[in-house]
Amino acid sequence: MGTYISKADTSVALLYLSVTAFFGGTVFYKARKKKMEKANTFVCGLLLLSLEILCFAMLRSYAGLLLFSGACLISYICLPVRSMLPVDNKAVLITGLWGIVNNAGVLGFLADGELLPMSIYRQCMDVNFFGAVEVSKTFLPLLRKSQGRLVNMSSMAGGVPMPRLAAYSASKAALSMFSGVMRQELSKWGIKVAVVHPSGFRTCIQGTPELWDKQEKHLMENLMPDVKTDYGEDYILALKNFLLHMPSFCGSDLSPLLDDVLDALLAKSPHGLYTPGKNAYLALCIFCYFPLWFYDFFIGKSLCVKILPRALRASESKSKNT
């Protein structure tokens, strides 16, 4: 027996769709004009979509439509937006230190963690982590007087694991955790701490071909013979191709990154975490809320190396022939 859909149900459904379209458009306009936090917009939209489905399923009448419309109106009014500090009311911007942005960073050579020499690990930790900690500790007495801002530039790779970035990711993860602890400890002094997890931007952090050759030579000279045999020189030399193609994965427009840093420095209520750039927030959500095998599949498809180590190629060839 077929399901009968009345004209009243159809008209109510069309009104639901109209309200949804109107509210979605107004929220999008508000987000663009007033720089609403994208996480707030996403969560609010998800909750309202669930409420819409529930109202339509349980209350197929104008009562459900009124309930959903009221929820939309309340959500629009209550959605937080970023408000900036009035500069003329902050004398500290002229007479004292208001903010520190720890932006220095090195990438090192991109290779499997087993292949990287310890010097690359130490270099990444020295610059990306210990440098930021030392600068922060040096100037924190001034920030305590001004109740200012501390902004640390971490990375998307500091929040989620990414292949061939063991040294870089470990140093940035340490910086992210340091920033979180500082946010908790310095709040009693009135200092706001934020950490930025950008995705790829074209900042030339990958270095030059001359630097890659030097790092590659250093890597080859420090490999154990059995490790070099198992991986194969062709596999190791192919890793440099990822550096060559790295700019194609990175955005050329730095404005999302700069806007977030400015917000962290000047907003009345800055966020503790910023994720500017393509897929930075998406990758973090997948890593946190999905099974790890799904995240590994997702990141593996994005950053795959088409050549296998020599030992694995030999094993694969042997299994095919048997």
Side-chain angles (χ1 to χ4, degrees), residues 123-198:
Q123 182 192 32
C124 285
M125 290 301 295
D126 284 342
V127 177
N128 299 344
F129 178 59
F130 290 122
V133 172
E134 189 169 354
V135 170
S136 300
K137 284 172 62 65
T138 300
F139 291 102
L140 274 176
L142 295 176
L143 288 186
R144 284 193 281 106
K145 290 180 181 178
S146 65
Q147 296 185 334
R149 305 292 167 83
L150 174 61
V151 183
N152 289 323
M153 190 67 64
S154 182
S155 169
M156 172 181 170
V160 297
M162 302 178 71
R164 294 176 297 284
L165 290 172
Y168 179 77
S169 293
S171 64
K172 290 297 188 178
L175 180 61
S176 296
M177 187 58 67
F178 170 76
S179 303
V181 174
M182 288 296 100
R183 185 186 69 250
Q184 295 169 342
E185 294 177 351
L186 296 175
S187 62
K188 57 180 171 284
W189 296 96
I191 298 175
K192 302 287 198 309
V193 181
V195 62
V196 185
H197 281 193

Side-chain angles (χ1 to χ4, degrees), residues 4 19 39 116 135 142 222 225 236 244 300 311:
Y4 175 72
V19 171
L116 290 175
V135 170
L142 295 176
N222 286 272
I236 298 170
L244 290 170

Side-chain angles (χ1 to χ4, degrees), residues 4-16 56 60-61:
Y4 175 72
I5 301 176
S6 66
K7 291 184 177 180
D9 285 345
T10 304
S11 62
V12 171
L14 290 174
L15 283 173
Y16 270 104
F56 185 72
R60 292 193 179 186
S61 64

Side-chain angles (χ1 to χ4, degrees), residues 200-248:
F201 288 93
R202 294 181 191 173
T203 60
C204 298
I205 192 175
Q206 73 270 21
T208 62
E210 292 78 14
L211 178 62
W212 305 340
D213 292 337
K214 182 179 178 181
Q215 291 174 330
E216 183 181 73
K217 181 181 177 182
H218 179 64
L219 184 149
M220 296 291 286
E221 290 174 348
N222 286 272
L223 281 179
M224 298 290 288
D226 56 338
V227 175
K228 184 184 292 188
T229 300
D230 287 343
Y231 278 89
E233 289 192 23
D234 54 345
Y235 176 84
I236 298 170
L237 295 176
L239 293 171
K240 192 164 59 176
N241 292 330
F242 189 77
L243 285 167
L244 290 170
H245 295 97
M246 188 174 174
S248 63

